[in-house]
Amino acid sequence: MSFYGVVRPALFALPAETAHGVGTSVLSVAQGTPVERLARERLRVDDARLATTAFGQSFPNPVGVAAGFDKNAELPGMLAALGFGHVEVGGVTAERQPGNPKPRMFRLRADRAIVNRMGFNNHGADAVGERLAEIRLPDVPVGLNIGKSKSTPLDDAPADYRYTFERCGDRVDYTVVNVSSPNTPGLRELQHRDALEAILGTLLDAGARPLLVKLSPDLPERAVEEALAVVDDLDLDGVIATNTTTSRPSSLRSPERAERGGLSGKPIEHTSTAFVANVARQTDVPVVGVGGVSDAEGAYAKIRAGASVVQLYTALVYEGPTVARKINRGLLELLDRDGFDHVSEAVGVDL
Ligand SMILES: Cc1cc2nc3c(=O)[nH]c(=O)nc-3n(C[C@H](O)[C@H](O)[C@H](O)COP(=O)(O)O)c2cc1C
């Protein structure tokens, strides 16, 4: 049995957010110590066939950490040492916020899923900006995911996003406008044309490049088209698809499916992959595929559907800290099987 196979029952005996805190504390203690170097040696899959580029960034492999795992930019070094090819920190908001009352994160164990209604709990742009200025950043791209402060009215969202970028944007390699979390009232309305244009335009004026937008899998087709028209008009650098969903597939078995919030993990895998394909068909910009990736087959399916790189969060909870290595090794086998010399050759072949 793997190390995580032994530890996981103990973690799963704790409430989900407490377990997350334990896991991140362990990673934080290990960061910067010989354990980090050891992890890097063991878990990084160094192979030129996996190295890829997208929106001007060089990724050593296509498997990254999705936003929300390291909300306050405390762990990018250690997450890179676990073998991830990029780390997206945040969501950070202009204001420090406590988020929603606990409990607000629920495991749907039988479904290998999570429902969360965290509500952008984070230390705020000033503190995260100071941390980013101080820490040693890893040698993989680090992205900044920005959300809207809860107390800021929707009309004032552009200045709120800009504030966070100005405090935190200096040391990151790309910026993501998150207008797709279901847990901040009204946030997802910002995916509509005028609001989106205003936020993205303000950030571009502030010098945010590369700039990506992260979309909800719950967007109706017309709204997807509108959002992609804005991506085109403003010459954005990429799209992240997808965030969590408020829908509840009928296949869910865990009682926690009744909890309010965004669903992530295995049950959203296929809808998210279909969403990636839909976006990739309609735009020329790189797509970052996220939603239910937990193994090489799933990552490969998103890549074949048009994702240049993929991300995951929920699989870190269920598969543990060796998940990036497992996926990267598996990807090499799949590339071999299908006669691709390089992962970039597989991008979009199913479209
Ligand atoms: C507890 C939790 C917190 C999250 N926080 C954020 C966030 O702050 N910003 C964001 O864009 N996405 C956030 N996400 C969404 C993930 O980045 C990702 O899009 C989603 O979970 C689907 O991927 P997965 O199935 O691999 O988890 C969060 C997800 C979870 C489970």
Side-chain angles (χ1 to χ4, degrees), residues 220-266:
E221 181 54 29
R222 257 204 67 74
V224 175
E225 286 166 17
E226 256 188 46
L228 295 180
V230 176
V231 168
D232 227 27
D233 288 352
L234 295 185
D235 201 15
L236 235 60
D237 301 285
V239 173
I240 304 194
T242 67
N243 215 309
T244 58
T245 177
T246 54
S247 75
R248 295 290 182 267
S250 57
S251 60
L252 294 179
R253 288 183 291 144
S254 314
E256 293 82 357
R257 67 183 175 217
E259 293 291 345
R260 228 174 354 94
L263 175 71
S264 60
K266 206 68 187 159

Side-chain angles (χ1 to χ4, degrees), residues 60 70 123-124 149 165 173 199-200 311 323 328 339:
D70 186 16
H123 295 169
S149 310
F165 173 73
D173 300 300
I199 296 167
L200 295 170
Q311 300 179 330
V323 64
N328 280 317

Side-chain angles (χ1 to χ4, degrees), residues 11-225:
L11 281 177
F12 276 26
L14 300 169
E17 190 172 349
T18 311
H20 179 76
V22 170
T24 52
S25 299
V26 170
L27 293 175
S28 167
V29 167
Q31 188 166 248
T33 72
V35 178
E36 179 178 328
R37 187 172 37 83
L38 206 68
R40 196 179 304 117
E41 284 166 15
R42 297 253 170 110
L43 298 176
R44 276 200 175 181
V45 180
D46 279 321
D47 194 303
R49 288 172 293 171
L50 294 174
T52 189
T53 58
F55 42 91
Q57 303 302 308
S58 299
F59 300 85
N61 69 68
V63 185
V65 183
F69 191 87
D70 186 16
K71 284 192 184 269
N72 297 306
E74 292 166 303
L75 297 169
M78 197 56 208
L79 290 169
L82 298 184
F84 288 99
H86 70 280
V87 180
E88 192 169 307
V89 301
V92 182
T93 56
E95 290 170 19
R96 181 185 184 96
Q97 327 189 122
N100 289 322
K102 295 178 186 173
R104 54 193 180 178
M105 181 177 179
F106 307 89
R107 288 185 212 96
L108 282 64
R109 285 178 64 166
D111 304 297
R112 298 186 90 75
I114 288 175
V115 166
N116 92 83
R117 50 170 181 269
M118 307 302 284
F120 289 150
N121 56 307
N122 77 106
H123 295 169
D126 292 350
V128 175
E130 276 170 34
R131 184 167 301 124
L132 280 167
E134 281 165 12
I135 60 175
R136 181 184 50 84
L137 288 170
D139 57 353
V140 303
V142 173
L144 170 71
N145 182 287
I146 307 183
K148 183 189 75 67
S149 310
K150 188 177 179 190
S151 67
T152 300
L154 291 180
D155 285 346
D156 299 338
D160 195 76
Y161 281 88
R162 181 175 178 139
Y163 183 88
T164 302
F165 173 73
E166 285 174 342
R167 292 296 174 288
C168 304
D170 258 11
R171 288 201 72 203
V172 295
D173 300 300
Y174 69 92
T175 303
V176 181
V177 169
N178 173 15
V179 277
S180 47
S181 284
N183 303 312
T184 294
L187 188 84
R188 301 197 298 176
E189 288 167 33
L190 298 175
Q191 290 172 115
H192 296 307
R193 189 172 195 125
D194 293 349
L196 196 55
E197 249 168 15
I199 296 167
L200 295 170
T202 301
L203 284 167
L204 290 173
D205 284 347
R209 284 278 186 194
L211 184 62
L212 292 80
V213 63
K214 183 165 176 179
L215 299 178
S216 160
D218 302 334
L219 269 188
E221 181 54 29
R222 257 204 67 74
V224 175
E225 286 166 17

